[in-house]
Amino acid sequence: NAGVTQTPKFQVLKTGQSMTLQCAQDMNHNSMYWYRQDPGMGLRLIYYSASEGTTDKGEVPNGYNVSRLNKREFSLRLESAAPSQTSVYFCASIGGMGYEQYFGPGTRLTVT
Amino acid sequence: DAKTTQPPSMDCAEGRAANLPCNHSTISGNEYVYWYRQIHSQGPQYIIHGLKNNETNEMASLIITEDRKSSTLILPHATLRDTAVYYCIVRVVNAGNMLTFGGGTRLMVKP
């Protein structure tokens, strides 16, 4: 049971490049989330998926798109990366009771 | 979700109890109090949650006041590895409901 996994762990992009951050969970959780964390700041929600087939915007969705590929996988796409998107990105999932949210190890993204 | 207020930072001596306060004066009757922590650069880690009764697990204790307007997370014997940012969050338990992270309390455990 690996929990929540994220790939890649580190990424450097040039302004305007695109990339997809991958997230997978093996806990059979319905809900999955993408957060970003800027240096010295708390986490901010980008998008979430309450269940397979649904996605909703969070606090800071601009510049991002998501895909809930199946129950296990939830990807985050940056179509045209900007320096303001330099951040650490965390994926998370939550189980049926909603008590604990499990987080992945994060993807550290730098946009130059 | 109700807003929470936490002190930005606290120190604690190693081996002593760390008491982290949280104010949530606008909490509604169906909102739970959750605590998470984030050790440097890692993903946040669930610690404990409660509705109105005090709760204890292997990591910590959670004391919620009778009016539920504030709570305290207690780490009974803090170690250097407990140095982290601690987040108090109140939310309705709902599988689709996200967590809203505020600034948290940066706890520094000192030898």
Side-chain angles (χ1 to χ4, degrees):
Chain A
N1 187 335
V4 179
T5 57
Q6 293 183 234
T7 55
K9 287 188 169 55
F10 301 93
Q11 184 71 49
V12 179
L13 292 177
K14 295 187 188 310
T15 297
Q17 288 185 316
S18 62
M19 79 161 295
T20 299
L21 282 64
Q22 306 287 354
C23 174
Q25 52 89 12
D26 61 1
M27 296 172 283
N28 201 35
H29 288 168
N30 288 321
S31 301
M32 298 184 72
Y33 307 80
W34 276 105
Y35 293 89
R36 63 176 285 175
Q37 185 173 35
D38 299 331
M41 306 286 286
L43 280 77
R44 293 184 292 170
L45 183 68
I46 305 171
Y47 270 94
Y48 69 101
S49 171
S51 61
E52 188 179 354
T54 69
T55 61
D56 285 286
K57 296 178 180 179
E59 181 185 356
V60 288
N62 291 343
Y64 306 95
N65 286 302
V66 291
S67 295
R68 184 72 183 269
L69 303 170
N70 47 55
K71 192 170 187 178
R72 288 188 66 248
E73 299 172 288
F74 188 38
S75 63
L76 178 72
R77 183 160 179 84
L78 287 71
E79 291 291 352
S80 179
S84 61
Q85 295 178 304
T86 292
S87 191
V88 181
Y89 291 84
F90 291 103
C91 177
S93 70
I94 200 165
M97 292 299 293
Y99 290 157
E100 300 179 34
Q101 197 164 78
Y102 295 86
F103 285 81
T107 294
R108 283 147 186 80
L109 175 67
T110 300
V111 182
T112 60
Chain B
D1 292 339
K3 184 177 177 179
T4 62
T5 303
Q6 299 176 252
S9 64
M10 293 180 64
D11 291 343
C12 177
E14 188 179 18
R16 306 296 286 265
N19 296 278
L20 291 88
C22 180
N23 283 316
H24 31 79
S25 58
T26 60
I27 192 170
S28 57
N30 61 348
E31 286 183 310
Y32 284 70
V33 180
Y34 289 78
W35 283 84
Y36 283 75
R37 73 179 182 183
Q38 188 174 24
I39 297 169
H40 180 65
S41 297
Q42 299 179 22
Q45 177 190 22
Y46 165 83
I47 301 172
I48 199 167
H49 76 280
L51 183 62
K52 50 186 172 183
N53 296 324
N54 297 338
E55 302 288 344
T56 295
N57 64 19
E58 64 279 3
M59 289 181 68
S61 295
L62 174 61
I63 308 299
I64 302 174
T65 58
E66 193 168 341
D67 62 8
R68 301 208 326 123
K69 292 185 177 182
S70 65
S71 60
T72 301
L73 178 74
I74 301 172
L75 308 177
H77 305 287
T79 70
L80 298 179
R81 287 176 293 180
D82 292 321
T83 292
V85 178
Y86 288 77
Y87 295 99
C88 169
I89 300 165
V90 294
R91 63 181 282 260
V92 174
V93 174
N94 179 307
N97 197 299
M98 73 294 286
L99 296 175
T100 301
F101 286 81
T105 296
R106 185 172 298 276
L107 176 69
M108 180 74 72
V109 180
K110 299 184 174 180

